Amino acid sequence: DTEVTQTPKHLVMGMTNKKSLKCEQHMGHRAMYWYKQKAKKPPELMFVYSYEKLSINESVPSRFSPECPNSSLLNLHLHALQPEDSALYLCASSQAAPPSGNTEAFFGQGTRLTVV
Amino acid sequence: KQEVTQIPAALSVPEGENLVLNCSFTDSAIYNLQWFRQDPGKGLTSLLLIQSSQREQTSGRLNASLDKSSGRSTLYIAASQPGDSATYLCAVRNSINAGNNRKLIWGLGTSLAVNP
């Protein structure tokens, strides 16, 4: 099983709303990632968690707040987003976190976020 | 600075053809290279990962090769089918000593259409 599950699949939110994206994997992977992808562009790394600790924050605005409650779950809390934050948000996991080990990344199907 | 280029940007072929997708990278000091498939509006599916010490990997009708010295990888798809239609992305992770290996460096993808 190489499945990463993301919910919801689609989300429309206003600029004053608070919402959360969820990601789950049961592969025993110890690294989990959030990516943002705009149309016709490759994914952009946002955050990396290694062993449930935040190891990389790619200078993401504070209106995006990640959380890793346990080794299988990853959340992304959203607050006061802007319309330009509309994108496909992808979660991924790998057995190990960079710089070494098995870093083969497995992605979920994404959450299509629209900010109005 | 590592840069990844994928050629062609788009490809349209009749069903049954064997085809080759190309990925080139500017710095040969890589840790691994991963090929992904992405259907429109969906997440990424990992196809093949090649470690820096490997020359090729195979999965079903797919074969990926790696030539680090020339900075190239190719994805070979045998007997293409309409279901292979998708965008194919190549991503490189730099070696530990090369620096900035904490994130994947992506090409812009090849959009493949296989016509019945």
Side-chain angles (χ1 to χ4, degrees):
Chain A
D1 181 13
T2 55
E3 189 170 343
V4 176
T5 304
Q6 290 187 242
T7 55
K9 287 185 168 48
H10 301 275
L11 178 63
V12 179
M13 61 184 291
M15 288 188 284
T16 59
N17 291 161
K18 287 185 181 180
K19 296 287 184 183
S20 297
L21 309 185
K22 297 186 184 303
C23 175
E24 190 168 1
Q25 58 86 16
H26 294 288
M27 296 177 278
H29 288 177
R30 304 318 301 263
M32 296 186 76
Y33 311 76
W34 280 114
Y35 285 84
K36 172 183 176 179
Q37 187 180 28
K38 293 283 216 178
K40 307 288 187 188
K41 299 286 189 183
E44 298 172 45
L45 182 66
M46 299 174 71
F47 302 104
V48 180
Y49 272 83
S50 176
Y51 289 86
E52 301 160 49
K53 290 188 180 353
L54 182 64
S55 63
I56 297 171
N57 176 341
E58 287 286 311
S59 302
V60 179
S62 60
R63 56 186 184 270
F64 296 92
S65 176
E67 178 197 21
C68 190
N70 60 54
S71 60
S72 299
L73 294 174
L74 185 66
N75 299 321
L76 185 63
H77 303 297
L78 313 172
H79 174 54
L81 294 193
Q82 303 296 312
E84 58 264 30
D85 295 322
S86 298
L88 182 66
Y89 287 83
L90 295 162
C91 174
S93 70
S94 61
Q95 194 172 76
S100 60
N102 185 350
T103 60
E104 182 175 6
F106 295 91
F107 282 78
Q109 288 299 297
T111 294
R112 172 69 61 190
L113 174 67
T114 303
V115 181
V116 297
Chain B
K1 177 187 167 191
Q2 181 75 272
E3 293 180 359
V4 178
T5 304
Q6 291 187 247
I7 294 173
L11 184 62
S12 180
V13 300
E15 181 177 4
E17 274 203 6
N18 301 324
L19 51 98
V20 174
L21 307 182
N22 296 293
C23 173
S24 61
F25 45 95
T26 54
D27 187 342
S28 62
I30 67 169
Y31 186 74
N32 58 35
L33 182 148
Q34 196 166 355
W35 282 94
F36 296 89
R37 166 193 173 132
Q38 186 170 31
D39 294 291
K42 303 291 187 184
L44 281 75
T45 300
S46 176
L47 298 175
L48 291 164
L49 178 138
I50 311 178
Q51 299 290 358
S52 62
S53 58
Q54 297 174 322
R55 296 283 293 185
E56 66 176 346
Q57 285 283 351
T58 298
S59 176
R61 293 182 295 108
L62 305 179
N63 175 277
S65 67
L66 175 65
D67 183 343
K68 275 200 315 179
S69 60
S70 66
R72 292 183 59 190
S73 176
T74 59
L75 180 66
Y76 175 83
I77 303 176
S80 58
Q81 304 170 356
D84 295 329
S85 299
T87 295
Y88 290 80
L89 290 156
C90 162
V92 163
R93 188 178 300 282
N94 284 344
S95 67
I96 297 169
N97 294 334
N100 194 24
N101 89 325
R102 62 185 191 169
K103 60 181 182 180
L104 292 170
I105 300 168
W106 298 82
L108 293 180
T110 293
S111 178
L112 173 65
V114 181
N115 306 304

